[in-house]
């Protein structure tokens, strides 16, 4: 683990995010957003689509011989199985102790910016919608959480 000791003259720091805020305190990071709801909706939705795909594939296996059922079942079930596994690798913690944090990075993909907080159990706490105060947050992360050498 890397030594993450933000300078105390900049703590605590609070940044607005889409539907809440993220606060960097002396010993922890507090994220106030609606990720728990998203997390469980994603798991339930993927589970339903996996069940749908399994039913269609099992119809083909039990003797219907309809390749459309096989194709539809695989087309729907497999991507949602991958999404389900990736969702399980995410964390929904609201409070993260600085001693648990391996790294903090601001990233972007397809026009969306987000903050990734890597945890020791190979999980990631991703904070979405960090656009409101992006430049200030970028500078804060760059100064207080330098990349590991």
């Amino acid at each position: 683990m890397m030594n993450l000791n933000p300078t105390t003259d900049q703590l605590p720091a609070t940044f607005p995010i889409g539907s809440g805020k993220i606060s960097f305190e002396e010993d922890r990071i507090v994220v106030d957003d609606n990720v728990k709801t998203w997390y469980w909706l994603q798991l339930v939705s993927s589970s339903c689509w996996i069940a749908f795909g399994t039913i269609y594939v099992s119809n083909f296996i039990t003797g219907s011989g309809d390749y459309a059922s096989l194709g539809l079942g695989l087309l729907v079930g497999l991507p949602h199985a991958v999404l389900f596994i990736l969702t399980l690798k995410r964390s929904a913690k609201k409070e993260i102790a600085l001693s648990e944090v391996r790294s903090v990075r601001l990233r972007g993909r397809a026009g969306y910016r987000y903050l990734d907080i890597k945890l020791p159990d190979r999980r990631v706490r991703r904070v979405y919608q960090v656009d409101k105060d992006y430049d200030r947050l970028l500078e804060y992360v760059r100064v207080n959480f330098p990349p590991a050498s």
Side-chain angles (χ1 to χ4, degrees), residues 63-118:
S64 73
D66 185 13
Y67 283 97
S69 290
L70 177 64
L72 183 63
L74 292 176
L75 185 67
V76 170
L78 289 178
H80 282 283
V82 170
L83 192 60
F84 185 84
I85 292 169
L86 290 176
T87 302
L88 288 176
K89 293 184 69 64
R90 297 261 170 89
S91 173
K93 287 183 174 182
K94 288 219 178 270
E95 292 187 12
I96 304 166
L98 282 180
S99 61
E100 294 179 10
V101 176
R102 288 179 47 203
S103 70
V104 178
R105 295 285 162 266
L106 276 163
R107 298 176 185 240
R109 184 178 300 142
Y112 295 103
R113 294 177 178 167
Y114 52 88
L115 180 74
D116 272 351
I117 303 170
K118 291 191 180 180

Side-chain angles (χ1 to χ4, degrees), residues 27-102:
D27 59 342
R28 62 190 175 153
I29 300 172
V30 179
V31 183
D32 182 24
D33 60 359
N34 60 355
V35 77
K36 278 239 195 253
T37 305
W38 173 86
Y39 182 82
W40 288 107
L41 283 174
Q42 185 68 43
L43 288 177
V44 168
S45 172
S46 290
S47 298
C48 291
W49 285 112
I50 291 168
F52 174 82
T54 304
I55 290 169
Y56 267 72
V57 170
S58 68
N59 282 344
F60 172 78
I61 291 172
T62 57
S64 73
D66 185 13
Y67 283 97
S69 290
L70 177 64
L72 183 63
L74 292 176
L75 185 67
V76 170
L78 289 178
H80 282 283
V82 170
L83 192 60
F84 185 84
I85 292 169
L86 290 176
T87 302
L88 288 176
K89 293 184 69 64
R90 297 261 170 89
S91 173
K93 287 183 174 182
K94 288 219 178 270
E95 292 187 12
I96 304 166
L98 282 180
S99 61
E100 294 179 10
V101 176
R102 288 179 47 203

Side-chain angles (χ1 to χ4, degrees), residues 14-23 30-35 94 125 127-130 132-133:
T14 301
F15 301 93
I17 57 175
S19 59
K21 64 182 178 179
I22 181 168
S23 299
V30 179
V31 183
D32 182 24
D33 60 359
N34 60 355
V35 77
K94 288 219 178 270
R125 173 58 162 99
V127 181
Y128 294 99
Q129 300 176 343
V130 295
K132 286 186 181 178
D133 207 356

